[in-house]
Coordinates of all heavy atoms in Angstrom, one line a residue:
M1 N 20.0 3.4 13.0 CA 19.5 2.0 13.0 C 18.3 2.0 12.1 O 17.4 2.8 12.2 CB 19.1 1.6 14.4 CG 18.6 0.3 14.6 SD 18.6 -0.2 16.3 CE 17.3 -1.3 16.4
S2 N 18.2 1.0 11.2 CA 17.1 1.0 10.2 C 16.1 0.0 10.7 O 16.4 -1.0 11.3 CB 17.7 0.6 8.8 OG 18.2 -0.6 8.8
E3 N 14.9 0.2 10.3 CA 13.8 -0.7 10.6 C 13.7 -1.8 9.5 O 14.2 -1.6 8.4 CB 12.4 0.1 10.5 CG 12.3 1.1 11.6 CD 10.9 1.7 11.6 OE1 9.9 1.1 11.2 OE2 10.8 2.9 11.9
Q4 N 13.1 -2.9 9.9 CA 12.9 -4.0 8.9 C 11.8 -3.6 8.0 O 10.8 -3.1 8.4 CB 12.6 -5.3 9.6 CG 13.7 -5.9 10.4 CD 14.7 -6.6 9.4 OE1 14.4 -6.8 8.3 NE2 15.8 -6.9 10.0
L5 N 12.1 -3.7 6.7 CA 11.1 -3.4 5.7 C 10.7 -4.7 5.0 O 11.4 -5.7 5.0 CB 11.6 -2.5 4.6 CG 11.9 -1.1 5.0 CD1 12.5 -0.3 3.8 CD2 10.6 -0.4 5.4
P6 N 9.4 -4.8 4.5 CA 9.1 -6.0 3.7 C 10.0 -6.2 2.5 O 10.6 -5.2 2.1 CB 7.6 -5.7 3.3 CG 7.3 -4.3 3.6 CD 8.4 -3.7 4.5
A7 N 10.1 -7.4 2.0 CA 11.0 -7.6 0.9 C 10.7 -6.8 -0.3 O 11.6 -6.3 -1.0 CB 10.9 -9.1 0.5
E8 N 9.4 -6.5 -0.5 CA 9.0 -5.6 -1.6 C 8.2 -4.4 -1.0 O 7.0 -4.5 -0.8 CB 8.0 -6.4 -2.5 CG 8.7 -7.5 -3.3 CD 9.5 -6.9 -4.5 OE1 9.2 -5.8 -5.0 OE2 10.5 -7.6 -4.9
P9 N 8.9 -3.3 -0.6 CA 8.1 -2.2 -0.1 C 7.1 -1.7 -1.1 O 7.3 -1.8 -2.3 CB 9.2 -1.2 0.2 CG 10.5 -1.9 0.1 CD 10.3 -3.1 -0.7
A10 N 6.0 -1.1 -0.6 CA 5.0 -0.6 -1.4 C 5.4 0.5 -2.3 O 5.1 0.7 -3.4 CB 3.7 -0.3 -0.6
V11 N 6.3 1.4 -1.7 CA 6.7 2.6 -2.4 C 8.2 2.6 -2.4 O 8.9 2.3 -1.3 CB 6.2 3.9 -1.6 CG1 6.8 5.1 -2.3 CG2 4.7 3.9 -1.6
V12 N 8.8 2.9 -3.5 CA 10.3 3.0 -3.6 C 10.6 4.3 -4.2 O 10.1 4.7 -5.2 CB 10.8 1.8 -4.5 CG1 12.4 2.0 -4.7 CG2 10.5 0.5 -3.9
I13 N 11.5 5.1 -3.6 CA 12.0 6.3 -4.1 C 13.5 6.2 -4.3 O 14.3 5.8 -3.4 CB 11.8 7.5 -3.1 CG1 10.3 7.6 -2.8 CG2 12.3 8.8 -3.6 CD1 9.9 8.6 -1.7
K14 N 13.9 6.4 -5.5 CA 15.3 6.3 -5.9 C 15.9 7.6 -6.4 O 15.2 8.3 -7.2 CB 15.4 5.2 -7.1 CG 16.8 5.0 -7.6 CD 16.7 3.9 -8.7 CE 18.1 3.8 -9.3 NZ 18.1 2.9 -10.5
T15 N 17.1 7.9 -6.0 CA 17.7 9.1 -6.5 C 18.4 8.8 -7.8 O 19.2 7.8 -7.8 CB 18.7 9.7 -5.5 OG1 19.6 8.8 -5.2 CG2 18.0 10.3 -4.3
V16 N 18.2 9.5 -8.9 CA 18.9 9.3 -10.1 C 20.1 10.2 -10.1 O 20.0 11.4 -9.8 CB 18.0 9.7 -11.3 CG1 18.7 9.6 -12.6 CG2 16.7 8.8 -11.3
D17 N 21.3 9.7 -10.4 CA 22.5 10.4 -10.3 C 22.4 11.7 -11.1 O 22.1 11.6 -12.3 CB 23.7 9.6 -10.7 CG 25.0 10.0 -10.1 OD1 25.0 10.7 -9.1 OD2 26.1 9.7 -10.7
N18 N 22.6 12.8 -10.5 CA 22.5 14.2 -11.2 C 21.2 14.4 -11.9 O 21.1 15.0 -12.9 CB 23.7 14.3 -12.1 CG 25.0 14.3 -11.4 OD1 25.1 14.8 -10.3 ND2 26.0 13.7 -12.1
G19 N 20.1 13.8 -11.3 CA 18.8 13.9 -11.9 C 17.7 13.9 -10.9 O 17.9 14.2 -9.7
P20 N 16.5 13.4 -11.3 CA 15.3 13.5 -10.5 C 15.2 12.4 -9.4 O 16.1 11.5 -9.4 CB 14.2 13.4 -11.5 CG 14.8 12.5 -12.6 CD 16.2 12.9 -12.7
Y21 N 14.2 12.5 -8.6 CA 13.8 11.4 -7.8 C 12.8 10.5 -8.6 O 11.9 11.0 -9.2 CB 13.0 11.9 -6.6 CG 13.9 12.7 -5.6 CD1 13.6 14.0 -5.5 CD2 14.8 12.1 -4.8 CE1 14.4 14.8 -4.6 CE2 15.6 12.8 -3.9 CZ 15.4 14.2 -3.8 OH 16.1 14.9 -3.0
Q22 N 13.1 9.2 -8.6 CA 12.3 8.3 -9.3 C 11.4 7.6 -8.3 O 11.9 7.0 -7.3 CB 13.1 7.2 -10.0 CG 12.2 6.2 -10.8 CD 13.1 5.1 -11.4 OE1 13.7 4.4 -10.6 NE2 13.1 5.0 -12.7
V23 N 10.1 7.9 -8.4 CA 9.1 7.4 -7.4 C 8.3 6.3 -8.0 O 7.7 6.5 -9.0 CB 8.2 8.5 -6.9 CG1 7.2 8.0 -5.8 CG2 9.0 9.7 -6.3
K24 N 8.3 5.1 -7.3 CA 7.5 4.0 -7.8 C 6.3 3.7 -6.9 O 6.5 3.6 -5.7 CB 8.4 2.8 -7.9 CG 7.8 1.5 -8.4 CD 8.8 0.4 -8.5 CE 8.2 -0.9 -9.1 NZ 9.2 -2.0 -9.1
G25 N 5.1 3.8 -7.4 CA 3.9 3.7 -6.6 C 3.6 2.4 -6.1 O 4.3 1.4 -6.3
P26 N 2.5 2.3 -5.3 CA 1.4 3.2 -5.3 C 1.6 4.4 -4.4 O 2.0 4.3 -3.2 CB 0.2 2.4 -4.8 CG 0.9 1.4 -3.8 CD 2.3 1.1 -4.4
I27 N 1.3 5.6 -5.0 CA 1.3 6.9 -4.2 C 0.2 7.8 -4.6 O -0.3 7.6 -5.7 CB 2.7 7.6 -4.3 CG1 2.9 8.1 -5.8 CG2 3.8 6.8 -3.8 CD1 3.9 9.2 -5.9
R28 N -0.1 8.7 -3.8 CA -0.9 9.9 -4.2 C 0.0 11.1 -4.0 O 0.4 11.4 -2.9 CB -2.1 10.0 -3.3 CG -2.9 11.3 -3.6 CD -4.3 11.3 -3.0 NE -5.1 10.4 -3.8 CZ -6.2 9.9 -3.4 NH1 -6.7 10.2 -2.2 NH2 -6.9 9.1 -4.1
L29 N 0.2 11.9 -5.1 CA 1.0 13.1 -5.0 C 0.0 14.3 -5.1 O -0.9 14.3 -6.0 CB 2.0 13.1 -6.2 CG 2.7 14.4 -6.4 CD1 3.7 14.7 -5.2 CD2 3.5 14.4 -7.7
V30 N 0.1 15.2 -4.2 CA -0.7 16.4 -4.3 C 0.2 17.6 -4.5 O 1.1 17.8 -3.6 CB -1.5 16.6 -3.0 CG1 -2.4 17.8 -3.0 CG2 -2.4 15.3 -2.7
D31 N 0.0 18.3 -5.5 CA 1.0 19.4 -5.8 C 0.5 20.7 -5.1 O -0.5 20.8 -4.4 CB 1.2 19.6 -7.3 CG 0.0 20.3 -8.0 OD1 -1.0 20.7 -7.3 OD2 0.0 20.3 -9.3
H32 N 1.3 21.8 -5.3 CA 1.1 23.1 -4.7 C -0.3 23.7 -5.0 O -0.7 24.6 -4.3 CB 2.2 24.0 -5.0 CG 2.5 24.1 -6.5 ND1 3.2 23.1 -7.1 CD2 2.2 25.0 -7.4 CE1 3.3 23.4 -8.4 NE2 2.7 24.5 -8.6
D33 N -0.9 23.3 -6.1 CA -2.3 23.8 -6.4 C -3.4 22.8 -6.0 O -4.5 22.9 -6.5 CB -2.4 24.1 -7.9 CG -1.5 25.2 -8.3 OD1 -1.4 26.2 -7.5 OD2 -0.9 25.2 -9.4
N34 N -3.0 21.8 -5.2 CA -3.9 20.8 -4.8 C -4.4 19.8 -5.9 O -5.4 19.2 -5.8 CB -5.1 21.3 -4.0 CG -4.7 21.8 -2.6 OD1 -3.9 21.2 -2.0 ND2 -5.3 22.9 -2.2
N35 N -3.6 19.8 -7.0 CA -3.9 18.8 -8.0 C -3.5 17.5 -7.5 O -2.4 17.4 -6.9 CB -3.2 19.1 -9.3 CG -3.7 20.4 -9.9 OD1 -4.9 20.6 -10.2 ND2 -2.7 21.3 -10.2
V36 N -4.3 16.4 -7.7 CA -4.0 15.1 -7.2 C -3.5 14.2 -8.4 O -4.2 14.2 -9.4 CB -5.2 14.5 -6.5 CG1 -5.0 13.1 -6.1 CG2 -5.6 15.4 -5.3
Y37 N -2.4 13.5 -8.2 CA -1.9 12.6 -9.1 C -1.8 11.2 -8.4 O -1.0 11.1 -7.5 CB -0.5 13.0 -9.6 CG -0.5 14.4 -10.2 CD1 -0.3 15.5 -9.5 CD2 -0.8 14.5 -11.6 CE1 -0.3 16.8 -10.0 CE2 -0.8 15.8 -12.1 CZ -0.5 16.9 -11.3 OH -0.5 18.2 -11.9
D38 N -2.6 10.3 -8.8 CA -2.6 8.9 -8.2 C -1.7 8.1 -9.2 O -1.9 8.1 -10.4 CB -4.0 8.3 -8.1 CG -4.7 8.9 -6.9 OD1 -4.1 9.3 -6.0 OD2 -6.0 9.0 -7.0
L39 N -0.8 7.4 -8.5 CA 0.1 6.6 -9.3 C 0.0 5.1 -8.8 O 0.2 4.9 -7.6 CB 1.6 7.1 -9.0 CG 2.7 6.5 -9.8 CD1 2.5 6.9 -11.3 CD2 4.0 7.1 -9.3
G40 N -0.5 4.3 -9.7 CA -0.8 2.9 -9.3 C 0.4 2.1 -8.9 O 1.6 2.5 -9.2
P41 N 0.2 0.9 -8.4 CA 1.3 0.0 -8.0 C 2.2 -0.3 -9.2 O 1.8 -0.6 -10.3 CB 0.6 -1.3 -7.6 CG -0.8 -0.9 -7.3 CD -1.1 0.3 -8.2
G42 N 3.5 -0.1 -9.0 CA 4.5 -0.4 -10.0 C 4.7 0.7 -11.0 O 5.6 0.6 -11.8
R43 N 3.9 1.7 -11.0 CA 4.0 2.8 -11.9 C 5.1 3.8 -11.4 O 5.2 3.9 -10.2 CB 2.7 3.5 -12.2 CG 1.6 2.7 -12.6 CD 1.7 2.3 -14.1 NE 1.9 3.4 -15.0 CZ 1.0 4.2 -15.5 NH1 -0.3 4.1 -15.2 NH2 1.3 5.2 -16.3
T44 N 5.8 4.5 -12.3 CA 6.8 5.4 -11.8 C 6.6 6.8 -12.3 O 6.0 7.0 -13.4 CB 8.2 4.9 -12.3 OG1 8.3 4.9 -13.7 CG2 8.6 3.6 -11.7
K45 N 7.1 7.8 -11.5 CA 7.1 9.2 -11.9 C 8.4 9.7 -11.5 O 9.1 9.3 -10.6 CB 6.0 10.0 -11.2 CG 4.6 9.9 -11.8 CD 4.5 10.7 -13.0 CE 3.0 10.8 -13.4 NZ 2.9 11.3 -14.8
L46 N 8.9 10.8 -12.3 CA 10.1 11.4 -12.0 C 9.8 12.8 -11.4 O 9.1 13.6 -12.0 CB 11.0 11.6 -13.2 CG 11.4 10.2 -13.9 CD1 12.1 10.5 -15.2 CD2 12.2 9.3 -13.0
L47 N 10.3 13.1 -10.2 CA 10.1 14.3 -9.5 C 11.4 15.2 -9.6 O 12.5 14.7 -9.3 CB 9.7 14.1 -8.1 CG 8.4 13.3 -7.8 CD1 8.1 13.2 -6.4 CD2 7.2 13.9 -8.6
C48 N 11.2 16.4 -9.9 CA 12.3 17.3 -10.1 C 13.1 17.5 -8.8 O 12.5 17.8 -7.7 CB 11.8 18.7 -10.6 SG 13.2 19.9 -10.9
R49 N 14.4 17.4 -8.9 CA 15.3 17.6 -7.8 C 16.2 18.8 -8.0 O 16.8 19.4 -7.1 CB 16.1 16.4 -7.5 CG 17.0 16.4 -6.3 CD 17.5 15.1 -5.9 NE 18.3 14.4 -6.9 CZ 19.4 13.8 -6.7 NH1 20.0 13.8 -5.5 NH2 20.1 13.1 -7.6
C50 N 16.2 19.3 -9.3 CA 17.2 20.4 -9.6 C 16.5 21.8 -9.4 O 17.2 22.8 -9.3 CB 17.7 20.3 -11.0 SG 16.5 20.6 -12.3
G51 N 15.2 21.8 -9.4 CA 14.5 23.1 -9.3 C 14.3 23.9 -10.6 O 13.8 25.0 -10.6
M52 N 14.7 23.3 -11.7 CA 14.7 24.0 -13.0 C 13.6 23.5 -13.9 O 13.4 24.1 -15.0 CB 16.0 23.9 -13.7 CG 17.2 24.5 -13.0 SD 18.8 24.4 -13.8 CE 19.4 22.9 -13.0
S53 N 12.8 22.6 -13.5 CA 11.7 22.0 -14.4 C 10.6 23.1 -14.6 O 10.3 23.8 -13.7 CB 11.1 20.8 -13.8 OG 10.0 20.3 -14.5
E54 N 10.1 23.1 -15.8 CA 8.9 24.0 -16.1 C 7.6 23.3 -15.8 O 6.6 23.9 -15.9 CB 8.9 24.3 -17.6 CG 10.1 25.1 -18.1 CD 10.1 26.6 -17.7 OE1 9.0 27.1 -17.5 OE2 11.2 27.1 -17.4
T55 N 7.7 22.0 -15.4 CA 6.5 21.2 -15.1 C 6.6 20.7 -13.7 O 6.1 19.5 -13.4 CB 6.3 20.1 -16.1 OG1 7.5 19.2 -16.0 CG2 6.1 20.6 -17.5
K56 N 7.1 21.5 -12.7 CA 7.2 21.0 -11.3 C 5.8 20.6 -10.8 O 4.8 21.2 -11.2 CB 7.7 22.1 -10.4 CG 9.1 22.5 -10.7 CD 9.6 23.5 -9.7 CE 10.9 24.2 -10.1 NZ 10.7 25.2 -11.2
P57 N 5.7 19.6 -10.1 CA 6.8 18.9 -9.4 C 7.5 17.8 -10.2 O 8.4 17.1 -9.7 CB 6.2 18.3 -8.2 CG 4.8 17.9 -8.7 CD 4.4 19.0 -9.6
F58 N 7.2 17.7 -11.5 CA 7.7 16.7 -12.3 C 9.0 17.1 -13.1 O 9.1 18.3 -13.4 CB 6.7 16.2 -13.3 CG 5.4 15.7 -12.7 CD1 4.2 16.5 -12.7 CD2 5.4 14.5 -11.9 CE1 3.1 16.0 -12.1 CE2 4.2 14.1 -11.3 CZ 3.1 14.9 -11.3
C59 N 9.8 16.2 -13.4 CA 11.0 16.4 -14.1 C 10.7 16.5 -15.6 O 9.9 15.8 -16.1 CB 12.0 15.2 -13.9 SG 13.4 15.2 -15.0
D60 N 11.2 17.5 -16.3 CA 11.0 17.7 -17.7 C 12.3 17.6 -18.5 O 12.4 17.9 -19.7 CB 10.3 19.0 -18.0 CG 11.2 20.2 -17.7 OD1 12.3 20.1 -17.3 OD2 10.7 21.3 -18.0
G61 N 13.4 17.1 -17.8 CA 14.7 17.0 -18.5 C 15.6 18.2 -18.4 O 16.7 18.2 -18.9
A62 N 15.1 19.3 -17.8 CA 15.9 20.5 -17.7 C 17.2 20.3 -17.0 O 18.2 21.0 -17.2 CB 15.1 21.6 -17.0
H63 N 17.3 19.3 -16.1 CA 18.5 19.0 -15.4 C 19.6 18.7 -16.3 O 20.8 19.0 -16.1 CB 18.3 17.9 -14.3 CG 17.9 16.6 -14.9 ND1 16.7 16.2 -15.2 CD2 18.7 15.5 -15.2 CE1 16.7 15.0 -15.7 NE2 17.9 14.6 -15.7
V64 N 19.3 18.0 -17.4 CA 20.3 17.6 -18.4 C 20.8 18.9 -19.2 O 22.0 19.1 -19.3 CB 19.8 16.6 -19.4 CG1 20.8 16.3 -20.5 CG2 19.4 15.3 -18.6
R65 N 19.8 19.6 -19.6 CA 20.1 20.8 -20.4 C 20.9 21.9 -19.6 O 21.7 22.6 -20.2 CB 18.8 21.5 -20.9 CG 18.0 20.6 -21.9 CD 16.9 21.4 -22.5 NE 15.9 21.7 -21.6 CZ 14.9 21.0 -21.2 NH1 14.8 19.7 -21.6 NH2 14.0 21.4 -20.3
N66 N 20.7 21.9 -18.3 CA 21.4 22.9 -17.5 C 22.6 22.3 -16.7 O 23.1 23.0 -15.8 CB 20.4 23.5 -16.5 CG 19.4 24.3 -17.2 OD1 19.7 25.4 -17.7 ND2 18.2 23.8 -17.4
G67 N 23.0 21.1 -16.9 CA 24.1 20.5 -16.3 C 24.0 20.4 -14.8 O 25.1 20.5 -14.1
F68 N 22.8 20.0 -14.3 CA 22.6 19.8 -12.8 C 23.6 18.8 -12.3 O 23.7 17.7 -12.9 CB 21.2 19.5 -12.5 CG 20.9 19.1 -11.1 CD1 21.0 20.0 -10.1 CD2 20.5 17.8 -10.8 CE1 20.7 19.7 -8.8 CE2 20.3 17.4 -9.5 CZ 20.3 18.4 -8.5
V69 N 24.3 19.1 -11.2 CA 25.1 18.2 -10.5 C 24.7 18.0 -9.1 O 24.7 19.0 -8.3 CB 26.6 18.6 -10.5 CG1 27.5 17.6 -9.8 CG2 27.1 18.7 -12.0
A70 N 24.2 16.9 -8.7 CA 23.8 16.6 -7.3 C 25.0 16.1 -6.5 O 25.3 14.9 -6.6 CB 22.7 15.6 -7.2
A71 N 25.7 16.9 -5.8 CA 26.9 16.6 -5.2 C 26.7 15.8 -3.8 O 27.5 15.1 -3.4 CB 27.8 17.8 -4.9
E72 N 25.5 16.1 -3.3 CA 25.2 15.5 -2.0 C 25.1 14.0 -2.0 O 24.5 13.4 -3.0 CB 24.0 16.1 -1.3 CG 22.7 15.7 -1.9 CD 22.3 16.4 -3.2 OE1 23.0 17.3 -3.6 OE2 21.2 16.2 -3.7
R73 N 25.6 13.4 -1.0 CA 25.4 11.9 -0.8 C 25.1 11.6 0.6 O 25.6 12.3 1.5 CB 26.7 11.2 -1.1 CG 27.2 11.3 -2.5 CD 26.6 10.1 -3.3 NE 27.2 10.0 -4.6 CZ 26.6 10.1 -5.8 NH1 25.3 10.4 -5.8 NH2 27.3 10.0 -6.9
S74 N 24.2 10.7 0.9 CA 23.9 10.3 2.3 C 25.1 9.4 2.7 O 25.8 8.8 1.9 CB 22.6 9.6 2.4 OG 22.6 8.4 1.6
S75 N 25.3 9.4 4.0 CA 26.4 8.6 4.5 C 25.9 7.3 5.2 O 24.8 7.1 5.3 CB 27.2 9.4 5.5 OG 26.3 9.9 6.5
Ligands
FES1 S1 15.5 17.0 -12.0 FE1 14.9 16.9 -14.1 S2 14.2 18.9 -14.5 FE2 14.8 18.9 -12.4

């Protein structure tokens, strides 16, 4: 059962087919070294989903070069 969301949620996370997570702010992302990345309203960042990026947690396009296939689908 899903909850009612506002017509325009503040944060939107979209899975890109065979690619990264597209995150639309406003968010604050804190990485493994405690670096803080503030993303303002309506701004987007791509977060690595394949594990092959040299710039984690961000996507650097390695998923394309390495033929990443995200087979999983939610039901
Ligand atoms: S999803 Fe793009 S480099 Fe991992």
Side-chain angles (χ1 to χ4, degrees):
M1 184 163 150
S2 64
E3 293 181 34
Q4 287 285 347
L5 291 178
E8 292 282 333
V11 177
V12 176
I13 302 173
K14 177 182 176 185
T15 55
V16 176
D17 205 22
N18 298 324
Y21 294 109
Q22 181 185 63
V23 180
K24 184 176 178 182
I27 63 159
R28 170 168 289 163
L29 173 68
V30 182
D31 73 9
H32 48 282
D33 291 324
N34 287 322
N35 295 307
V36 175
Y37 303 90
D38 284 331
L39 192 60
R43 303 284 311 275
T44 61
K45 280 284 191 191
L46 300 175
L47 301 181
C48 180
R49 185 163 59 132
C50 73
M52 294 180 269
S53 174
E54 297 286 328
T55 60
K56 292 182 193 79
F58 303 107
C59 170
D60 68 357
H63 63 275
V64 175
R65 295 188 296 276
N66 292 288
F68 173 66
V69 176
E72 72 277 5
R73 294 275 194 238
S74 60
S75 53

